[in-house]
Protein backbone atom coordinates (compact mmCIF):
# COMPACT_ATOMS: atom_id res chain seq x y z
CA UNK A 1 0.00 0.00 0.00
CA UNK A 2 1.31 3.44 -0.91
CA UNK A 3 1.11 5.95 1.91
CA UNK A 4 2.39 7.12 5.23
CA UNK A 5 1.20 6.69 8.77
CA UNK A 6 -0.75 9.51 10.35
CA UNK A 7 0.82 9.98 13.79
CA UNK A 8 -2.51 10.77 15.44
CA UNK A 9 -4.12 7.39 14.83
CA UNK A 10 -1.61 5.10 13.08
CA UNK A 11 -3.98 4.77 10.12
CA UNK A 12 -2.27 4.52 6.72
CA UNK A 13 -2.80 7.65 4.64
CA UNK A 14 -3.11 6.54 1.02
CA UNK A 15 -2.42 8.70 -2.01
CA UNK A 16 -5.55 7.65 -3.90
CA UNK A 17 -4.09 8.99 -7.16
CA UNK A 18 -1.52 6.16 -7.17
CA UNK A 19 -4.09 3.37 -6.83
CA UNK A 20 -5.00 1.34 -9.90
CA UNK A 21 -8.29 1.50 -11.78
CA UNK A 22 -9.58 -1.12 -14.19
CA UNK A 23 -9.65 0.03 -17.82
CA UNK A 24 -12.68 -1.23 -19.74
CA UNK A 25 -14.14 -1.18 -23.24
CA UNK A 26 -17.53 0.32 -24.14
CA UNK A 27 -19.30 -2.86 -22.96
CA UNK A 28 -17.56 -2.80 -19.57
CA UNK A 29 -15.14 -5.65 -20.32
CA UNK A 30 -11.80 -5.38 -18.50
CA UNK A 31 -8.92 -4.21 -20.71
CA UNK A 32 -6.01 -3.61 -18.30
CA UNK A 33 -5.22 -1.15 -15.53
CA UNK A 34 -3.75 2.28 -14.97
CA UNK A 35 -3.21 4.60 -12.01
CA UNK A 36 -6.07 6.89 -10.99
CA UNK A 37 -3.96 9.94 -11.92
CA UNK A 38 -3.10 8.63 -15.40
CA UNK A 39 -6.69 7.50 -16.14
CA UNK A 40 -7.97 11.00 -15.28
CA UNK A 41 -5.37 12.91 -17.32
CA UNK A 42 -6.75 14.40 -20.55
CA UNK A 43 -8.13 13.02 -22.73
CA UNK A 44 -9.05 10.40 -20.10
CA UNK A 45 -9.18 6.62 -20.32
CA UNK A 46 -12.43 4.68 -19.98
CA UNK A 47 -12.39 2.85 -16.65
CA UNK A 48 -14.74 1.15 -14.20
CA UNK A 49 -16.31 3.26 -11.44
CA UNK A 50 -19.26 3.11 -9.09
CA UNK A 51 -21.76 5.62 -7.75
CA UNK A 52 -23.78 4.82 -4.62
CA UNK A 53 -27.10 6.39 -3.76
CA UNK A 54 -28.48 5.66 -0.29
CA UNK A 55 -32.09 6.25 0.73
CA UNK A 56 -33.57 6.65 4.20
CA UNK A 57 -36.90 5.28 5.46
CA UNK A 58 -38.68 8.43 4.26
CA UNK A 59 -37.36 7.93 0.71
CA UNK A 60 -34.89 10.82 0.82
CA UNK A 61 -31.45 10.44 -0.76
CA UNK A 62 -28.17 11.20 0.98
CA UNK A 63 -25.91 13.59 -0.92
CA UNK A 64 -22.37 14.62 -0.18
CA UNK A 65 -20.47 17.75 -1.04
CA UNK A 66 -17.04 16.65 -2.24
CA UNK A 67 -14.10 17.82 -0.15
CA UNK A 68 -12.14 20.82 -1.41
CA UNK A 69 -8.98 18.73 -1.82
CA UNK A 70 -10.51 16.45 -4.46
CA UNK A 71 -8.62 16.51 -7.77
CA UNK A 72 -11.84 16.31 -9.76
CA UNK A 73 -14.92 18.48 -9.18
CA UNK A 74 -14.10 19.60 -5.62
CA UNK A 75 -16.88 21.15 -3.51
CA UNK A 76 -19.65 20.08 -5.88
CA UNK A 77 -22.64 18.14 -4.58
CA UNK A 78 -22.99 14.55 -5.72
CA UNK A 79 -24.44 11.14 -4.91
CA UNK A 80 -23.82 9.51 -1.53
CA UNK A 81 -20.43 8.05 -2.44
CA UNK A 82 -18.39 7.13 -5.49
CA UNK A 83 -15.08 5.56 -6.38
CA UNK A 84 -13.25 2.89 -8.34
CA UNK A 85 -12.92 -0.83 -7.69
CA UNK A 86 -9.42 -2.21 -7.89
CA UNK A 87 -8.75 -4.29 -11.02
CA UNK A 88 -10.70 -7.54 -10.61
CA UNK A 89 -12.45 -6.41 -7.40
CA UNK A 90 -16.23 -6.85 -7.15
CA UNK A 91 -18.00 -3.51 -7.52
CA UNK A 92 -20.28 -4.02 -4.49
CA UNK A 93 -17.29 -4.96 -2.33
CA UNK A 94 -15.41 -1.81 -3.39
CA UNK A 95 -18.46 0.40 -2.85
CA UNK A 96 -19.12 -1.05 0.61
CA UNK A 97 -15.53 -0.30 1.61
CA UNK A 98 -15.72 3.23 0.21
CA UNK A 99 -19.00 3.98 2.03
CA UNK A 100 -17.27 3.16 5.29
CA UNK A 101 -14.17 5.24 4.40
CA UNK A 102 -16.12 8.32 3.31
CA UNK A 103 -19.16 8.27 5.60
CA UNK A 104 -18.57 5.66 8.30
CA UNK A 105 -21.68 3.68 7.30
CA UNK A 106 -22.58 0.30 5.89
CA UNK A 107 -25.58 -0.67 3.79
CA UNK A 108 -26.69 -3.59 1.68
CA UNK A 109 -26.19 -2.51 -1.92
CA UNK A 110 -27.68 -3.70 -5.21
CA UNK A 111 -26.84 -2.64 -8.74
CA UNK A 112 -29.45 -0.49 -10.50
CA UNK A 113 -27.63 -0.31 -13.85
CA UNK A 114 -24.69 1.25 -15.65
CA UNK A 115 -23.96 4.24 -17.86
CA UNK A 116 -20.92 5.84 -19.44
CA UNK A 117 -20.03 9.52 -19.25
CA UNK A 118 -17.10 11.79 -19.95
CA UNK A 119 -16.55 15.20 -18.36
CA UNK A 120 -13.61 17.55 -17.90
CA UNK A 121 -13.27 19.57 -14.70
CA UNK A 122 -12.82 23.14 -15.97
CA UNK A 123 -10.88 24.14 -12.85
CA UNK A 124 -8.38 21.27 -12.65
CA UNK A 125 -8.29 19.97 -16.23
CA UNK A 126 -8.77 16.42 -14.93
CA UNK A 127 -11.10 14.13 -16.89
CA UNK A 128 -13.74 11.67 -15.75
CA UNK A 129 -14.33 8.99 -18.43
CA UNK A 130 -16.15 6.24 -16.62
CA UNK A 131 -18.20 3.13 -17.10
CA UNK A 132 -20.24 3.78 -13.97
CA UNK A 133 -22.07 1.09 -11.99
CA UNK A 134 -24.96 2.68 -10.07
CA UNK A 135 -25.61 1.03 -6.71
CA UNK A 136 -28.50 1.73 -4.39
CA UNK A 137 -29.17 0.89 -0.78
CA UNK A 138 -31.03 1.89 2.33
CA UNK A 139 -29.46 3.51 5.35
CA UNK A 140 -31.37 2.63 8.48
CA UNK A 141 -30.50 3.46 12.06
CA UNK A 142 -26.97 4.73 11.43
CA UNK A 143 -25.99 8.37 11.25
CA UNK A 144 -23.27 9.19 8.73
CA UNK A 145 -19.93 10.40 10.10
CA UNK A 146 -18.31 12.12 7.12
CA UNK A 147 -14.54 11.89 6.74
CA UNK A 148 -13.45 15.55 6.29
CA UNK A 149 -10.65 14.45 3.95
CA UNK A 150 -13.33 13.14 1.58
CA UNK A 151 -16.56 14.99 2.33
CA UNK A 152 -17.18 18.70 2.99
CA UNK A 153 -20.87 18.34 3.92
CA UNK A 154 -23.89 16.03 3.64
CA UNK A 155 -27.59 16.59 3.08
CA UNK A 156 -30.78 14.55 2.82
CA UNK A 157 -33.15 15.57 0.02
CA UNK A 158 -36.28 14.23 -1.67
CA UNK A 159 -35.46 12.71 -5.09
CA UNK A 160 -37.98 14.93 -6.91
CA UNK A 161 -36.53 18.11 -5.36
CA UNK A 162 -33.02 16.93 -6.22
CA UNK A 163 -33.92 16.25 -9.86
CA UNK A 164 -35.47 19.73 -10.14
CA UNK A 165 -32.42 21.40 -8.58
CA UNK A 166 -29.95 19.47 -10.75
CA UNK A 167 -31.86 20.66 -13.82
CA UNK A 168 -32.16 24.27 -12.57
CA UNK A 169 -28.59 24.64 -11.22
CA UNK A 170 -26.37 21.98 -12.84
CA UNK A 171 -23.15 23.85 -11.94
CA UNK A 172 -23.73 23.00 -8.24
CA UNK A 173 -23.53 19.27 -8.97
CA UNK A 174 -21.05 16.79 -10.40
CA UNK A 175 -21.59 16.01 -14.08
CA UNK A 176 -22.29 12.33 -13.39
CA UNK A 177 -25.11 12.89 -10.87
CA UNK A 178 -27.79 13.38 -13.55
CA UNK A 179 -26.80 10.01 -15.09
CA UNK A 180 -27.00 8.32 -11.68
CA UNK A 181 -30.48 9.75 -11.17
CA UNK A 182 -31.60 8.61 -14.66
CA UNK A 183 -30.44 5.03 -13.98
CA UNK A 184 -32.26 4.93 -10.62
CA UNK A 185 -35.44 6.46 -12.12
CA UNK A 186 -35.43 3.92 -14.97
CA UNK A 187 -35.26 1.11 -12.43
CA UNK A 188 -38.49 2.39 -10.90
Amino acid sequence: MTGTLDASDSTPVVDRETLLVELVDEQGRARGSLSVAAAHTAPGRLHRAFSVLLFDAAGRVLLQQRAGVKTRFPLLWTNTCCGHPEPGQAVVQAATKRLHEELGVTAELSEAGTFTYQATDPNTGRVEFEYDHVLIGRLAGTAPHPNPDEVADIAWIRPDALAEDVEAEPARYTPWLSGVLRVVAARG
Side-chain angles (χ1 to χ4, degrees), residues 63 75-78 157 160-178 181:
L63 297 183
L75 297 176
L76 294 185
W77 286 91
T78 196
I157 186 170
D160 58 335
L162 175 59
E164 289 172 10
D165 202 46
V166 168
E167 187 173 324
E169 297 189 63
R172 292 185 62 214
Y173 298 94
T174 59
W176 60 86
L177 181 58
S178 59
L181 297 176

Side-chain angles (χ1 to χ4, degrees), residues 87-152:
Q89 183 181 30
V91 173
V92 170
Q93 177 189 19
T96 300
K97 178 181 177 187
R98 199 75 184 119
L99 269 175
H100 182 72
E101 292 170 350
E102 290 191 9
L103 296 162
V105 298
T106 59
E108 188 172 321
L109 301 174
S110 62
E111 189 166 325
T114 62
F115 72 103
T116 300
Y117 72 95
Q118 188 169 12
T120 300
D121 184 327
N123 297 314
T124 68
R126 303 302 299 275
V127 177
E128 295 280 6
F129 188 19
E130 297 185 332
Y131 185 89
D132 198 12
H133 296 257
V134 178
L135 306 170
I136 57 174
R138 187 168 181 190
L139 188 61
T142 305
H145 298 284
N147 176 343
D149 294 333
E150 301 286 345
V151 179

Side-chain angles (χ1 to χ4, degrees), residues 12-26:
V13 177
V14 176
D15 178 358
R16 301 197 65 75
E17 295 295 301
T18 65
L19 299 177
L20 294 178
V21 295
E22 185 172 69
L23 300 176
V24 297
D25 66 14
E26 294 79 16

